[in-house]
């Protein structure tokens, strides 16, 4: 399915969700005592400002630390009703433009960064412009070594190659953000962890913690799985590396009995207008599009 068709489906579903008052019912009733962990990637500041303004008027924006502590205690009594956490994945260079908004609304989001891509001119493999959505989905299913060989042969892509333009945050930008933003690891190079060997997986998880702690002189406690993919093996490696939490992209709001290593997410489209954003906060459009995508993938392979 093309991105445009996905967007069209999301717009139609969003309109229907709003028409039935589902965002209001979700906020005030179904999920009043659950916490949404929102997920952005490379959102533009104008859009992020509109979303943050809406959230600040209708929800309580809390830190990931507060949520994780409450999950470990299995007690949400310190969490205000209608709470959300804001997370941003990968460490895209454009994230620095969000800093004035983050400061204005005092929201302390968490940015999960790829620690061997930040502060370099290396590129994210999933941003290769010639890769179609279908090719990317295919690559996400290959063993890690096969994916890298394919990228090298078809796109001349090498994970450690330094390109002309910079796609990720620089060290200086991260240091500017640090007083207002929680910066945490998201592996070193963004592989699909279950497709890695055990050695690769340990290196990507533990290595990213060591990298970031060294870069920023901080202690890292939280991790997010690239593409949200994980198995029991990844959970055990994340725990053994000393992380307190890990965020998936399993769609949903979090209750106090959720595993801290399988925290659910509400992915938000980086380009969502306010109508779609309000609908996406329910998680319904994303579930339907994911379901349609899975069916189409099975039909076309
Ligand atoms: Zn990612």
């Amino acid at each position: 399915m093309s991105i445009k068709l996905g967007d069209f489906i999301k717009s139609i579903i969003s309109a229907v969700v709003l028409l039935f008052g589902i965002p209001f019912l979700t906020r005030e009733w179904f999920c009043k005592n659950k916490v949404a962990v929102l997920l952005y990637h490379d959102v533009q500041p104008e859009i992020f400002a509109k979303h943050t303004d809406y959230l600040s008027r209708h929800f309580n924006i809390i830190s990931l630390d507060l949520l994780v502590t409450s999950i470990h205690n299995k007690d949400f009594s310190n969490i205000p009703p209608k709470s959300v956490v804001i997370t941003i994945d990968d460490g895209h260079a454009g994230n620095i433009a969000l800093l004035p908004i983050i400061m204005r609304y005092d929201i302390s989001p968490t940015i999960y960064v790829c620690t061997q891509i930040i502060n370099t001119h290396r590129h994210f493999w999933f941003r290769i412009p010639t890769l179609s959505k279908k090719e990317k989905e295919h690559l996400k299913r290959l063993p890690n070594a096969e994916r890298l060989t394919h990228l090298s042969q078809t796109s001349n892509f090498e994970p450690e190659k330094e390109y002309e333009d910079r796609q990720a945050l620089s060290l200086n930008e991260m240091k500017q953000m640090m007083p207002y933003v929680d910066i945490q690891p998201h592996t070193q190079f963004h592989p699909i962890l279950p497709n890695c060997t055990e050695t690769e997986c340990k290196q990507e998880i533990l290595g990213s913690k060591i990298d970031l702690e060294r870069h920023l002189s901080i202690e890292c406690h939280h991790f997010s799985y690239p593409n949200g993919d994980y198995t029991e093996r990844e959970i055990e490696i994340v725990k053994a590396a000393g992380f307190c939490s890990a965020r998936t992209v399993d769609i949903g709001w979090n209750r106090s009995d959720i595993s801290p290593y399988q925290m659910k997410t509400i992915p938000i489209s980086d380009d969502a207008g306010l109508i779609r954003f309000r609908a996406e906060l329910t998680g319904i459009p994303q579930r339907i599009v994911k379901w349609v995508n899975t069916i189409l993938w099975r039909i076309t392979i």
Side-chain angles (χ1 to χ4, degrees), residues 183-222:
I183 302 179
Q184 302 289 333
H186 184 47
T187 68
Q188 294 182 311
F189 290 101
H190 209 285
I192 305 300
L193 289 172
N195 298 344
C196 293
T197 63
E198 184 150 345
T199 308
E200 287 169 337
C201 191
K202 283 180 179 167
Q203 176 59 36
E204 286 282 347
I205 293 172
L206 182 58
S208 67
K209 189 173 193 286
I210 293 167
D211 286 344
L212 198 58
E213 291 183 341
R214 193 182 301 145
H215 266 313
L216 300 178
S217 306
I218 55 170
E219 273 189 33
C220 296
H221 303 294
H222 310 297

Side-chain angles (χ1 to χ4, degrees), residues 141-263:
R141 289 163 171 81
L142 292 181
N144 196 47
E146 264 184 56
R147 177 182 62 85
L148 292 172
T149 304
H150 180 93
L151 288 172
S152 174
Q153 289 172 348
T154 59
S155 307
N156 198 24
F157 174 87
E158 302 297 337
E160 296 188 33
K161 180 172 164 184
E162 297 276 343
Y163 294 81
E164 248 178 60
D165 60 317
R166 177 166 62 83
Q167 290 189 337
L169 290 164
S170 70
L171 187 58
N172 188 32
E173 287 166 341
M174 285 186 291
K175 284 188 174 167
Q176 281 179 57
M177 297 179 100
M178 269 178 64
Y180 314 98
V181 174
D182 174 35
I183 302 179
Q184 302 289 333
H186 184 47
T187 68
Q188 294 182 311
F189 290 101
H190 209 285
I192 305 300
L193 289 172
N195 298 344
C196 293
T197 63
E198 184 150 345
T199 308
E200 287 169 337
C201 191
K202 283 180 179 167
Q203 176 59 36
E204 286 282 347
I205 293 172
L206 182 58
S208 67
K209 189 173 193 286
I210 293 167
D211 286 344
L212 198 58
E213 291 183 341
R214 193 182 301 145
H215 266 313
L216 300 178
S217 306
I218 55 170
E219 273 189 33
C220 296
H221 303 294
H222 310 297
F223 180 80
S224 74
Y225 305 103
N227 203 46
D229 293 318
Y230 66 98
T231 65
E232 278 302 318
R233 181 188 73 173
E234 282 70 41
I235 293 175
E236 290 310 314
I237 295 172
V238 166
K239 280 184 194 172
F243 288 105
C244 303
S245 81
R247 205 220 57 225
T248 68
V249 295
D250 300 340
I251 298 168
W253 290 57
N254 293 287
R255 301 187 332 182
S256 59
D257 59 355
I258 191 88
S259 159
Y261 298 96
Q262 290 172 277
M263 284 191 300

Side-chain angles (χ1 to χ4, degrees), residues 36 40-41 59 74 82 91 99 125 176-177 211 229 232 241 273:
Y40 290 93
H41 291 89
F59 290 88
K74 297 200 180 305
K82 298 182 272 184
L99 185 56
W125 72 267
Q176 281 179 57
M177 297 179 100
D211 286 344
D229 293 318
E232 278 302 318

Side-chain angles (χ1 to χ4, degrees), residues 133-149:
K133 190 175 160 91
K134 196 174 173 188
E135 257 180 298
K136 271 185 228 172
E137 288 309 310
H138 172 67
L139 289 168
K140 285 176 188 174
R141 289 163 171 81
L142 292 181
N144 196 47
E146 264 184 56
R147 177 182 62 85
L148 292 172
T149 304

